[in-house]
Amino acid sequence: MLWASLVIENIGCLWTMDGAGAHGVGAIDDAVVLIDADRVAWVGPRAALPVPDLRGVPRVDAGGRAALPGLIDCHTHALFLGDRADEFARRARGESYAQIMAAGGGIRSTMRAVRGATIEQLCDATRPRLRRMLERGVTTVELKSGYGLNVDSELAMLRAARRLGDEDGIDVVTTLLAAHAIPPEHEGDASAWIDVITKDLLPHVAREKLASACDVFVEQGAFSAEQARPLLRRARELGLAVRVHAEQLSRSGGAALAAELGARAAGHLEHITAEDVEALAKAGVVCEVLALAQVFLRGQRATPGRALVDGGCTVAVATDCNPGTAMSTDLPLAAGLAVTQCGLTAEEAIAGVTVNAARALGLIDRGVVAAGKRADLVILEGATPLDLVYRWSDARAHAVVARGRVLAPPSSLVDA
Ligand code: NIG
Ligand code: FE
């Protein structure tokens, strides 16, 4: 028999994002969601409710507001210490991201802040960012390492990310991005650091299951596709999914490598060609549009989101939250910019932060509202789900349900 531990009722318009109906958003008016523990037990219009008597079951009255699946931020570097406001100012005066990186700033500057930090300090700095994400409706976030750049500090970052995921609130998926920059110990010798990652770090990470994926920044001044290939192959052998930072500042072969290796996801893609789009589509690589980064860095090209969708790619949208190229935790803003800067439709951008973001993380238990899936939902303030991409930073979440519990605002909304 159908049993509910929580009822969410009076949802004016729910987009389940299950691919059904107009634009594939699975719209249901006057919707009810029955939740059993951490799973959705039933979803549908109130008129079809199979359990007529829900007396005594705690309920959330959505008050006619719109709802979506809990949002998923599938590409972030939100675990860091310090800031790089000075670099923002330097770019405004005309220096480029690449010039600042070559001069020892950029990722290495954050590395200096992260190295030597305790796991507790890393968690304390990151927790408020995750809280802000949750308050916007994000229930799952990917956190990458990549600011430790030595074995111990990379492990510390992943352990901090795991600890944050074990806490109440937002769910965390971890990615090893040790090949983010060349550490000063290996100045001018990217291959030496790739060797350390492959031989020392990766086996450790795989053994302790500290990350579910391995990422590489394929870019001039970082790592070439040739340097990245053996590392990513080894990661795949050890059971980690492959992710690539590809074609962000120049065309460096990252997209072709992602396609060749059957990567789970490739992010940025500002400098891709039609050939790359075809290869990514054929290989089923989820393409991540990270519009905050391209807007934050002056003079960046826009990722051709329209061409990716039209070329048959699955497109996700994420914040890329990091202190150097996207100092923001605002996923609705990233989705709004994916529409205006990268040519996605509003519905595609919303799919990008829900169902397609789940695919980018290899998660099949979330991203849609459907029976059997995790009970992760966001109730927006307004009456239309389009508010998520239309109202940008004003797209407030009225309530956030994660694994069947009302997390934001704290459970005051639940009536027994
Ligand atoms: O995705 N491009 C590489 N990594 C980040 C930037 C990290 C940083 O500058 O701290 C990105 O944009
Ligand atoms: Fe990134």
Side-chain angles (χ1 to χ4, degrees):
M1 212 188 77
L2 201 55
W3 163 252
S5 53
L6 181 70
V7 184
I8 305 177
E9 59 187 357
N10 201 12
I11 302 171
C13 181
L14 169 68
W15 284 8
T16 65
M17 303 313 294
D18 69 354
H23 308 293
V25 298
I28 303 174
D29 290 337
D30 194 11
V32 176
V33 179
L34 302 183
I35 292 168
D36 184 5
D38 61 351
R39 300 274 150 178
V40 170
W42 183 85
V43 55
R46 186 214 304 261
L49 195 63
V51 188
D53 187 1
L54 288 163
R55 268 176 301 180
V57 180
R59 51 189 59 209
V60 172
D61 182 348
R65 295 179 179 84
L68 285 166
L71 310 181
I72 299 171
D73 197 342
C74 64
H75 177 138
T76 91
H77 313 250
L79 178 64
F80 63 86
L81 282 175
D83 71 69
R84 308 219 306 262
D86 58 319
E87 293 181 5
F88 186 84
R90 280 165 68 183
R91 278 198 301 277
R93 287 193 289 267
E95 273 182 88
S96 72
Y97 181 81
Q99 282 166 336
I100 291 170
M101 182 162 79
I107 293 165
R108 276 204 201 170
S109 152
T110 304
M111 176 207 78
R112 290 189 282 275
V114 164
R115 278 192 183 176
T118 63
I119 289 178
E120 198 168 359
Q121 287 167 330
L122 288 168
C123 288
D124 288 349
T126 306
R127 209 173 279 115
R129 292 179 202 119
L130 300 192
R131 185 74 212 168
R132 285 200 294 280
M133 289 176 173
L134 182 75
E135 282 165 359
R136 286 231 164 285
V138 176
T139 49
T140 302
V141 65
E142 186 237 24
L143 292 178
K144 299 179 195 289
S145 70
Y147 293 123
L149 303 182
N150 63 28
V151 171
D152 286 348
S153 298
E154 285 292 306
L155 290 174
M157 283 193 78
L158 293 174
R159 291 200 173 105
R162 278 271 186 263
R163 187 183 293 181
L164 289 162
D166 288 342
E167 295 175 2
D168 250 11
I170 203 161
D171 199 19
V172 171
V173 177
T174 52
T175 297
L176 175 70
L177 177 59
H180 196 195
I182 304 164
E185 294 78 4
H186 298 288
E187 186 72 62
D189 192 357
S191 301
W193 174 230
I194 291 276
D195 250 28
V196 175
I197 304 171
T198 312
K199 297 201 179 105
D200 301 341
L201 192 48
L202 204 47
H204 200 129
V205 168
R207 205 169 43 242
E208 277 191 47
K209 296 199 184 324
L210 284 171
S212 49
C214 181
D215 199 338
V216 176
F217 185 20
V218 176
E219 188 60 64
Q220 284 167 32
F223 303 90
S224 68
E226 284 61 43
Q227 288 162 341
R229 184 179 287 108
L231 167 62
L232 293 173
R233 278 207 180 129
R234 183 73 191 125
R236 210 175 45 181
E237 281 165 14
L238 290 171
L240 281 86
V242 168
R243 309 175 73 83
V244 184
H245 276 72
E247 330 297 347
Q248 181 181 13
L249 308 170
S250 61
R251 186 156 187 263
S252 311
L257 181 69
E260 174 195 321
L261 297 178
R264 185 170 274 165
H268 286 292
L269 309 170
E270 282 87 339
H271 292 263
I272 46 168
T273 62
E275 205 179 296
D276 292 329
V277 174
E278 203 185 321
L280 290 164
K282 215 180 253 167
V285 179
V286 178
C287 298
E288 297 162 341
V289 168
L290 309 169
L292 282 169
Q294 87 203 14
V295 173
F296 197 86
L297 292 180
R298 298 161 74 247
Q300 262 290 80
R301 271 195 209 182
T303 302
R306 184 78 258 132
L308 287 167
V309 177
D310 291 345
C313 297
T314 300
V315 173
V317 173
T319 59
D320 195 21
C321 173
N322 77 80
T325 70
M327 189 59 158
S328 171
T329 54
D330 195 334
L331 189 57
L333 175 60
L337 290 173
V339 174
T340 60
Q341 309 301 296
C342 306
L344 298 191
T345 66
E347 295 83 1
E348 286 162 357
I350 292 176
V353 294
T354 54
V355 58
N356 291 352
R359 283 189 201 151
L361 295 177
L363 301 171
I364 55 168
D365 64 347
R366 65 196 82 179
V368 298
V369 182
K373 302 290 182 188
R374 273 169 67 114
D376 294 348
L377 281 111
V378 53
I379 300 169
L380 301 175
E381 272 303 347
T384 169
L386 287 170
D387 276 356
L388 189 84
V389 289
Y390 166 58
R391 291 183 186 267
W392 292 14
S393 287
D394 283 341
R396 301 257 161 255
H398 175 73
V400 183
V401 178
R403 300 190 75 170
R405 292 175 52 214
V406 181
L407 285 189
S411 22
S412 54
L413 286 171
V414 182
D415 296 325

